[in-house]
Amino acid sequence: MKNLDFAADKALAKDFLNNFADANGEPKYLTLLQDVANRRTRSVQIELDDLFNYKDLDEEFLQRVTENTRRYISIFAEAVDELMPEPTELFSAEDDHDILMTQRAEDMTDNADNSDPFRRMPPDIKRFFEVYIKAFSKGTPLTIRQVKASNIGQLVKISGIVTRCSDVKPLMQVAVYTCEECGFEIYQEVTARVFMPLYECPSVRCKTNNTKGNLILQLRASKFLKFQEAKIQELSEHVPKGHIPRSLTVHLRGELTRKVAPGDVVELSGIFLPIPYTGFRAMRAGLIADTYLEIMSVTHFKKKYEDYELSEDEQKQIEGLAEDGDIYNKLARSLAPEIFGHEDVKKALLLLLVGAPHRKLSDGMKIRGDLHICLMGDPGVAKSQLLKHIINVAPRGVYTTGRGSSGVGLTAAVQRDPVTNEMILEGGALVLADMGICAIDEFDKMEESDRTAIHEVMEQQTVSIAKAGITTSLNARTAVLAAANPAWGRYDLRRSPAENINLPPALLSRFDLLWLILDKADMDTDLEMARHVVHVHQNLESPSLGFTPLEPSVLRAYISTARRTSPSVPRELEEYIATAYSSIRQEEAKSSAPHSYTTVRTLLSILRISIALARLRFSAAVAQSDVDEALRLMQMSKFSLYSEDRQRSGLDAISDIYSILRDEAARSNRLDVSYAHALNWISRKGYSEAQLKECLEEYASLNVWQIHPNTFDIRFIDA
């Protein structure tokens, strides 16, 4: 063991803090220390990348810092103490710390020679900052399994998912006592989780006078740190086959508390340390010690939408994308490009990610802004793959399956806390996905009693609980994305849609879009799809889409920018939306077997989808095209059923388009129909523009109507 020269290392640390300059030539750490002196920040984070790039440091110093991090934190803290500049701004001395420090400075004059060791003020009590050492940014993080005994005391970087967090509690760092006899302040440094308080005054004066001075613990004068304990579990992709995931306790102190929440996927760097069991557990544990990680830095893999701070390049890229006229289609096709077709489903899922703003009325009533979508379809139409992909793209997403989750697992469970032995609430999947997306696969296979737990979340967006003496309401502002199979495994065309869907009307009306995906045999589509699948299988990427699909990180950045706008519905569209809604209700009343339940919630759904579309264009107002697209998506979600109805009624596409145009013209009592209106009407029924043009030509040759040569507007000849 080399004799470690800590004084020389402290000189090196001071030199580094004094002279290190960032890319612009600014003194990085001196600027930071000035901010600390002005009480703007409390943490001094020393990055290993900077130590590595600093020319005057040898590699041995860097190695010593990574292998004996706990000691070097105190060395850097001492260096910071000596370099700390005077504050340049006025700040209010509301903090007890500042008032006490000025008093202590006056009192310390009689112990100036430090003859009494217990009255020597520990350096920790003078500091109003914390020092952290951040691991290298490059290099892959270790898994929890790879952290071994050889890493004890070293700086390690691990990745995992946070499973539980304790509340933030104060942790004593320096205990301060006053003696009733001599009146001196006595300091006791606390390094472990537990400590033995002093009862007799150990000062020189009390010992000389041979009086056993009684000590009183002064909580207000003591130094406390914020402390939080969390559990991190390894990610499922790092678990070897046949094993269960391991977990590790992590301790967060000071400014790092409240940085993580259950369900976050994070990369943590910290010091791997042992901790002996204390109290009653020590008797049972014998010689066994526990290990924990003392955190130095926290990095989130996926930022929340609110936390996105775009660099100038990203800002320009997003502005460039927003000016692209076809951005809606491009964003939708960038979702799971390996999955063939389903273009409208992907558009709906894109709108689910964007969502609409929550509305709060003046009397406190809330109207939800999240979209809920249910994908109901035959086996093998890539429902689960779409769900998994959406969870990957969303910054906060939870994936569960119907059979694997109980009603309590979705909402909240009451459990005993292993540390304090109190009854505590553990949030379930829907609470963990607050402000995110909860994907529930195999929705139809859930028990009926468990499915009722979702009703309240989908409309009121809270989870109310009255169990074990805990009565509370938790937030669950979640967008629900469910995937289900029809009642008999496959959709049975001989039965009515209500029999096939087999979900209660109360639940169905809460879904903004119920997407029916039928797997029908069609020569051309099947050929295209087979080619696509084989191509993906061989090349491990999707065939070219005519543009490069956007990366999930770019998608997240674009959506986070879009979510900052809060579009409103203009006056002139109110009548248009009302008419569209009433016509949907009329159609449903006429049909013998309705495909869905149209309620006022449907009207709110139209508004939500329109607002989400306006957000994608970064527009402050909803346009008529947004409402038309919302209505089209609602029609397209049942498209596969309409095409079946048509085949039954024996109408071909051309005749059906003619009857649609004739009925709409008769309803509005007009002889002239604009081409845009005609296209809007037929696209709602799932027909294409090419079919409309074919119909216009065929019936023009029969002298049913005349067509304008330039604008393609229609005029009926026979009234």
Side-chain angles (χ1 to χ4, degrees), residues 116-121 185-188 198 202-203 207:
D116 195 341
F118 280 97
R119 292 190 52 218
R120 190 182 307 139
M121 202 184 293
E185 250 190 343
I186 306 292
Y187 303 100
Q188 178 188 14
L198 300 172
S203 73
K207 281 189 176 153

Side-chain angles (χ1 to χ4, degrees), residues 465-480:
I465 273 175
K467 294 177 187 171
I470 298 174
T471 310
T472 179
S473 173
L474 306 171
N475 276 334
R477 291 153 297 187
T478 309
V480 176

Side-chain angles (χ1 to χ4, degrees), residues 129-188:
F129 60 86
E130 290 133 28
V131 176
Y132 303 108
I133 295 181
K134 189 182 176 185
F136 286 113
S137 53
K138 291 189 175 63
T140 51
L142 302 170
T143 63
I144 294 177
R145 260 163 224 277
Q146 292 167 330
V147 182
K148 300 277 194 324
S150 54
N151 296 96
I152 291 271
Q154 296 184 5
L155 192 63
V156 292
K157 188 163 78 163
I158 61 169
S159 62
I161 182 165
V162 181
T163 51
R164 61 180 305 160
C165 282
S166 71
D167 292 338
V168 178
K169 299 232 166 75
L171 176 79
M172 190 174 276
Q173 203 179 14
V174 180
V176 178
Y177 306 88
T178 47
C179 171
E180 287 183 334
E181 294 293 327
C182 59
F184 290 155
E185 250 190 343
I186 306 292
Y187 303 100
Q188 178 188 14

Side-chain angles (χ1 to χ4, degrees), residues 113-269:
D113 55 350
N114 281 340
S115 57
D116 195 341
F118 280 97
R119 292 190 52 218
R120 190 182 307 139
M121 202 184 293
D124 269 339
I125 206 162
K126 301 178 196 168
R127 291 181 187 138
F128 43 86
F129 60 86
E130 290 133 28
V131 176
Y132 303 108
I133 295 181
K134 189 182 176 185
F136 286 113
S137 53
K138 291 189 175 63
T140 51
L142 302 170
T143 63
I144 294 177
R145 260 163 224 277
Q146 292 167 330
V147 182
K148 300 277 194 324
S150 54
N151 296 96
I152 291 271
Q154 296 184 5
L155 192 63
V156 292
K157 188 163 78 163
I158 61 169
S159 62
I161 182 165
V162 181
T163 51
R164 61 180 305 160
C165 282
S166 71
D167 292 338
V168 178
K169 299 232 166 75
L171 176 79
M172 190 174 276
Q173 203 179 14
V174 180
V176 178
Y177 306 88
T178 47
C179 171
E180 287 183 334
E181 294 293 327
C182 59
F184 290 155
E185 250 190 343
I186 306 292
Y187 303 100
Q188 178 188 14
E189 286 197 73
V190 181
T191 50
R193 286 284 294 276
V194 286
F195 76 108
M196 188 69 192
L198 300 172
Y199 290 109
E200 289 183 10
C201 177
S203 73
V204 175
R205 183 183 292 185
C206 277
K207 281 189 176 153
T208 318
N209 297 347
N210 204 9
T211 53
K212 292 185 175 177
N214 190 20
L215 289 182
I216 297 164
L217 179 63
Q218 298 289 340
L219 284 178
R220 191 170 170 191
S222 302
K223 168 91 184 276
F224 288 92
L225 262 183
K226 287 184 283 189
F227 176 81
Q228 186 178 25
E229 195 175 36
K231 253 200 162 31
I232 181 171
Q233 183 180 306
E234 62 187 334
L235 298 168
S236 50
E237 57 259 31
H238 297 153
V239 183
K241 47 181 179 281
H243 289 248
I244 57 168
R246 287 196 187 167
S247 56
L248 176 69
T249 308
V250 298
H251 290 178
L252 301 133
R253 291 166 191 243
E255 296 302 296
L256 291 174
T257 50
R258 299 195 177 90
K259 281 268 167 55
V260 295
D264 289 355
V265 180
V266 288
E267 188 178 280
L268 305 169
S269 70

